Every structure is written in structure tokens, then in C-alpha cells.
């Protein structure tokens, strides 16, 4: 499993466990927040924060405010995780 | 001939301290990632009767002592504006609030002592009704007008900053972050309105009112006692439950006058938060214009509990340029869970 696939798999697992989202719907093009334009996963702002906190706990990382603002889609999150995990 | 009561005057006041969402978030000291809950709330700033650094450290007794002073002053300011157009003597005052306690004399008595228009008025204090109190208040004033042919005043004063519940160092995940979410929304304001009779086309008639309570959601919204003070209850399911109640109660009130959503120009929906407004907009297929003033209320003042719909109504009267024949629907929700809807119409 590549790093990309692993990160996507972790996201799918968290989103299924916490928000009962169908893993098949969790695709890189989908935005997290319900107020995003285009296809999204229907999370509110608090859900998105909780998701980021789950990722911090899962990987032992700290997501900065600047980075958090840039993570709007599943693809953004996967790309961010791969980048951060590569540096370790 | 039966005279139909109208809203013949409506005014509001906000307290002197105002803060941006970013300032509030930083003062509360929540973990940084939660900032988006505050900055993304659709609110530019909120007004409080106490400075943020003071609100942190107040006991319930100090909160109530401050409430008595500030609620009187803020309400009197709203009442004086409301009564300035020479409405004459008003002998009934309904005072609504859920954010503080005056053991007696009541805030209503303190107001009527200071405002000549209300000197000697019979004071009726309504309490503990939360965000929904505005429309039941108007409803009893309406009944008084119909019964006695005389005007009545309704005051809604909410000082939400005086129900601040400290939680540090981390937000309460177990209760679904309800305090963190509440602290992102609520603010202080007082609204005064006069329900009565006149021939001014700029003042809307009250055509119909409906109330609906779903007792199965009794514990989703309100206050509980905790550690010697009030603690907000705010389930995350509130917006969805509120929508179901709002859909029913608004549909009933519109059906009574054979109206469709698109026929109602002004939607005065309690600006509880942007999610409630989004849900109502989608459910009734509203245009941005129909809900504009509710969103503006949230943007300019935040959720001022029972004072909120009155603020929206006043902004519409000032900036909405309502025409004869325009309809408006006022909607609010509160503990119970209860939703109220009131249909108004400008002109004859």
C-alpha cells in the first residue's frame, strides 16, 4: 500500500467511525465542509476540526492554523499527510 | 368592526463592549484548531455588557447582580427609543428574559419606574423561555390589545454574556462541545416593541400566530444548574430538529392565509446560527433576498436569544423598504423544543 493509499484509508476509517460516512464516497475530489462549493461530505465546521484533531492524535503531529485552513478536500488532507510523514 | 393589532413601534439597543469573533476566540483560550468554528460562524462582531476578561471570573451571584443593573439600563434605553414618538400612556408591560434573575423588584418594575410612558403600568415578567420568548410575548400583548383596545409593550432583554460558563483548559467533548459552540454564537441585546393600533402603513399588522412543541426534544436546549451557575444545554441536533418544527409551524401559518413561501417577502427567522438559516433557506427554497435581514442580524449582532427576531424586524423597517401588501413571517425556536411563527402584513 502506498503512502497515499494509506492516508486515504485512514481518512475513510475515521469518517466512517465518527460520521458514518460511506467509504466509497470519500474520494480525493470531495470537500469536507457542507458549505463548500461542489461535491462535499456534508461536515460542519466542528466536524472538520474534530477530524483534524483525530489526525493529529493518530499520527502524533501538530497541524498549524495555516495548514488547517488549506485542508479543504480529502485530496488536500492526503497530500498534507504524505508531505508531513515523508519529513519524519 | 374588529381592529387588528399591529407592531406600531420597534427598537433595540446593544451594550457598549463589542468584539470580533477572533478576539472572542482568543480571549476564551480554546485550542487553536477550533478557531474556524468562531470565524466561520457568519458573525462579524458581538456586543456584551461586561468586558470579556471580566466575564471569565464572575460567580453566579455576581452575574445576577450585574444583570439587574445592566438589564435595567439596556432595556430602558430600548424602551425610551420605542416610546419617543408620543405613543401616550401604556399600562401593560411584558418583560421577557432567560439570562439573569432579579429576585424582586423585577426588571419590569425597574423599567416602568424610569420611563414616564410606563409609570404605573401593570408589569408581567416572563422568564426561562429562552430564544423563543419574543413571539409568545407578542402573543400575550396581542391578546391584551384585542381584549382592552389599548396598546401593550413587550421587552426582550438577554444578557447572554452573564451566563458564561468557564471551561478550561479544554472544551467539553463529552457534551459535544456545547459550551464552545454556544460561546461562538450568543450575545447581548434588548428589544422593545409596542403592539397596538394606528393608521401608519409602515407598521405591519399581525395576522396569524402558531406554536408547536415537540416534547421528545425537551432536553436538547436550555440551561441546567451546574457548579452553582447556569450551564448551557445545546445539542448538536438542534438545527435539524428546529427545521422540522419550523417547517410545520410556518406551513400552518401560511396556509391560514393561503400563502406560499415565495409570496412572503421578509423571512424573519431567528438568527440562531448560520446552519439554521441555511436549512430554512433550502427547505423553503428561499432567495437570498428573502433571508437577507436574518443573515444580517447574525452578521452584525450574533444570536441575541429572544431579542434576535426583534432586531431583524427593526432592521427590515429601517432598511428593507417594506411596501403596502408585503408579507413577513417571523419564526423563532427555543426550549421545549418549541417553534413559533407569526405572519405579518404591511398596509391595510
Amino acid at each position: 500500500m502506498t503512502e497515499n493509499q494509506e492516508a486515504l484509508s485512514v481518512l475513510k476509517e475515521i469518517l466512517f467511525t465518527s460520521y458514518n460516512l460511506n467509504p466509497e464516497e470519500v474520494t480525493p475530489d470531495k470537500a469536507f465542509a457542507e458549505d463548500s462549493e461542489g461535491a462535499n461530505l456534508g461536515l460542519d465546521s466542528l466536524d472538520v476540526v474534530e477530524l483534524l484533531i483525530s489526525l493529529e492524535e493518530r499520527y502524533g503531529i501538530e497541524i498549524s492554523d495555516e495548514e488547517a485552513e488549506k485542508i479543504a478536500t480529502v485530496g488536500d488532507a492526503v497530500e498534507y499527510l504524505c508531505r508531513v510523514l515523508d519529513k519524519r | 368592526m374588529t381592529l387588528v393589532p399591529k407592531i406600531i413601534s420597534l427598537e433595540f439597543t446593544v451594550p457598549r463592549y463589542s468584539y470580533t469573533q477572533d478576539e472572542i476566540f482568543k480571549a476564551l483560550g480554546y485550542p487553536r484548531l477550533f478557531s474556524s468554528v468562531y470565524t466561520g460562524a457568519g458573525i462579524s462582531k458581538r456586543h456584551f455588557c461586561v468586558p470579556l476578561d471580566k466575564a471569565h471570573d464572575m460567580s453566579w451571584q455576581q452575574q445576577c447582580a450585574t444583570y439587574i443593573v445592566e438589564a435595567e439600563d439596556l432595556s430602558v434605553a430600548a424602551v425610551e427609543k420605542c416610546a419617543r414618538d408620543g405613543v401616550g400612556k401604556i399600562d401593560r408591560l411584558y418583560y421577557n428574559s432567560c439570562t439573569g434573575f432579579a429576585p424582586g423588584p423585577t426588571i419590569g418594575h425597574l423599567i416602568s419606574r424610569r420611563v414616564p410612558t410606563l409609570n404605573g403600568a401593570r408589569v408581567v415578567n416572563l422568564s426561562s423561555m429562552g430564544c423563543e420568548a419574543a413571539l409568545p410575548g407578542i402573543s400575550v400583548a396581542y391578546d391584551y390589545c384585542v381584549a382592552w383596545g389599548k396598546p401593550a409593550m413587550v421587552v426582550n432583554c438577554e444578557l447572554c454574556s452573564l451566563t458564561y460558563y468557564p471551561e478550561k483548559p479544554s472544551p467539553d467533548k463529552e457534551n459535544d462541545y456545547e459550551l464552545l459552540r454556544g460561546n461562538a454564537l450568543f450575545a447581548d441585546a434588548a428589544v422593545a416593541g409596542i403592539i397596538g393600533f394606528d393608521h401608519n402603513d409602515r407598521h405591519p399588522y399581525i395576522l396569524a400566530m402558531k406554536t408547536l412543541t415537540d416534547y421528545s426534544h425537551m432536553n436538547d436546549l436550555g440551561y441546567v444548574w451546574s457548579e452553582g451557575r447556569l450551564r448551557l444545554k445545546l445539542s448538536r441536533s438542534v438545527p435539524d430538529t428546529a427545521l422540522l418544527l419550523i417547517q410545520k409551524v410556518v406551513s400552518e401559518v401560511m396556509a391560514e392565509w393561503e400563502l406560499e413561501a415565495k409570496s412572503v417577502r421578509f423571512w424573519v427567522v431567528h438568527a440562531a446560527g448560520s446552519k439554521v438559516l441555511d436549512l430554512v433557506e433550502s427547505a423553503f427554497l428561499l432567495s437570498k433576498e428573502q433571508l437577507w435581514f436574518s443573515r444580517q442580524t447574525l452578521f452584525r449582532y450574533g444570536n441575541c436569544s429572544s431579542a434576535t427576531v426583534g432586531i431583524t424586524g427593526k432592521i427590515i423597517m429601517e432598511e428593507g423598504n417594506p411596501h403596502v401588501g408585503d408579507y413577513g413571517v417571523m419564526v423563532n425556536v427555543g426550549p421545549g423544543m418549541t417553534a413559533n411563527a407569526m405572519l405579518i402584513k404591511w398596509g391595510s
Side-chain angles (χ1 to χ4, degrees), chain A residues 34 44-47 49-50 52-53 56 62-65 68, chain B residues 32-37 40 173 176-177 180-181 236 275 278:
Chain A
E34 61 192 350
D44 66 23
S45 56
L46 195 56
D47 294 330
V49 173
E50 285 186 301
L52 296 179
I53 291 172
E56 285 188 333
E62 189 171 292
I63 304 172
S64 70
D65 290 348
Chain B
R32 64 202 153 66
L33 281 178
F34 288 97
S35 67
S36 61
V37 177
K173 185 176 182 181
D176 229 351
Y177 304 107
L180 179 141
R181 288 182 285 113
R236 277 179 84 174
K275 185 162 187 182
D278 291 343

Side-chain angles (χ1 to χ4, degrees), chain B residues 164-180:
Chain B
Y164 175 73
Y165 189 95
E167 57 163 358
K168 278 189 176 178
S170 57
D172 185 1
K173 185 176 182 181
E174 193 178 319
N175 287 304
D176 229 351
Y177 304 107
E178 61 188 354
L179 292 174
L180 179 141

Side-chain angles (χ1 to χ4, degrees), chain B residues 17-326:
Chain B
Y17 302 105
S18 72
Y19 300 94
T20 64
Q21 288 289 87
D22 193 45
E23 288 169 334
I24 295 166
F25 178 76
K26 284 176 178 156
L28 293 176
Y30 285 123
R32 64 202 153 66
L33 281 178
F34 288 97
S35 67
S36 61
V37 177
Y38 283 64
T39 54
I43 298 170
S44 63
K45 64 180 177 181
R46 289 182 280 156
H47 296 78
F48 300 135
C49 69
V50 286
L52 277 173
D53 56 344
K54 190 178 174 193
H56 276 198
D57 304 319
M58 297 173 83
S59 66
W60 164 244
Q61 187 173 336
Q62 289 169 325
Q63 288 175 325
C64 282
T66 307
Y67 172 85
I68 292 168
V69 173
E70 298 291 337
E72 178 188 343
D73 285 348
L74 199 63
S75 298
V76 165
V79 167
E80 285 177 337
K81 283 167 74 178
C82 190
R84 72 184 162 201
D85 291 334
V87 291
K89 200 78 175 166
I90 293 175
D91 58 14
R92 180 63 61 94
L93 168 65
Y94 297 99
Y95 176 82
N96 287 306
S97 185
C98 69
T99 45
F101 175 66
T106 70
I107 304 297
H109 288 99
L110 297 172
I111 297 167
S112 67
R113 178 185 62 173
R114 281 178 55 184
V115 183
T117 303
L118 289 167
N119 281 168
R122 179 173 293 171
V123 173
V124 180
N125 284 270
L126 309 172
S127 66
S128 310
M129 298 183 71
C131 299
E132 66 129 341
L135 296 189
I138 292 175
S139 172
V140 289
Y142 178 102
D143 292 344
Y144 176 82
C145 289
V146 170
W148 300 100
K150 293 193 286 190
M153 182 173 281
V154 183
V155 173
N156 286 87
C157 178
E158 302 293 6
L159 305 181
C160 301
S161 62
L162 295 177
T163 64
Y164 175 73
Y165 189 95
E167 57 163 358
K168 278 189 176 178
S170 57
D172 185 1
K173 185 176 182 181
E174 193 178 319
N175 287 304
D176 229 351
Y177 304 107
E178 61 188 354
L179 292 174
L180 179 141
R181 288 182 285 113
N183 287 336
L185 296 171
F186 289 106
D188 302 350
V191 166
I194 300 174
I195 310 303
F197 309 99
D198 71 8
H199 298 289
N200 188 334
D201 285 345
R202 295 177 62 237
H203 301 154
Y205 287 96
I206 297 168
L207 299 185
M209 282 180 272
K210 295 280 180 189
T211 294
L212 186 64
T213 298
D214 182 345
Y215 300 106
S216 66
H217 294 278
M218 184 76 80
N219 296 320
D220 286 1
L221 181 60
Y223 286 110
V224 292
W225 285 107
S226 174
E227 306 286 336
R229 62 171 72 222
L230 294 177
R231 187 191 200 281
L232 178 73
K233 287 289 296 173
L234 182 63
S235 162
R236 277 179 84 174
S237 64
V238 164
D240 294 318
T241 308
L243 176 67
L244 294 175
L245 288 165
I246 288 171
Q247 282 182 296
K248 286 182 187 169
V249 78
V250 169
S251 298
E252 281 182 24
V253 91
M254 289 195 303
E256 202 172 301
W257 283 75
E258 298 179 349
L259 293 171
E260 296 175 26
K262 63 184 178 188
S263 318
V264 177
R265 182 177 170 201
F266 297 108
W267 282 67
V268 184
V269 178
H270 172 51
S274 53
K275 185 162 187 182
V276 170
L277 299 180
D278 291 343
L279 290 171
V280 171
E281 185 179 295
S282 298
F284 288 96
L285 303 174
L286 302 180
S287 66
K288 299 292 179 198
E289 290 74 21
Q290 284 172 294
L291 213 50
W292 171 257
F293 295 101
S294 297
R295 288 199 191 279
Q296 278 297 301
T297 304
L298 185 67
F299 184 71
R300 297 179 198 178
Y301 302 105
N303 178 344
C304 301
S305 187
S306 74
T308 312
V309 289
I311 293 174
T312 310
K314 176 59 184 175
I315 297 174
I316 287 172
M317 286 181 170
E318 280 196 340
E319 302 173 23
N321 193 23
H323 301 128
V324 171
D326 282 342

Side-chain angles (χ1 to χ4, degrees), chain A residues 31-85:
Chain A
F32 293 113
E34 61 192 350
D35 54 0
S36 308
E37 286 182 11
N40 65 71
L41 296 173
L43 304 186
D44 66 23
S45 56
L46 195 56
D47 294 330
V48 177
V49 173
E50 285 186 301
L51 172 67
L52 296 179
I53 291 172
S54 297
L55 291 174
E56 285 188 333
E57 289 169 354
R58 178 73 169 247
Y59 289 103
I61 56 176
E62 189 171 292
I63 304 172
S64 70
D65 290 348
E66 292 74 25
E67 292 291 356
E69 276 180 24
K70 292 177 195 164
I71 300 174
T73 66
V74 173
D76 293 338
V78 168
E79 190 270 331
Y80 170 78
L81 289 172
C82 290
R83 183 157 39 87
V84 170
L85 298 177

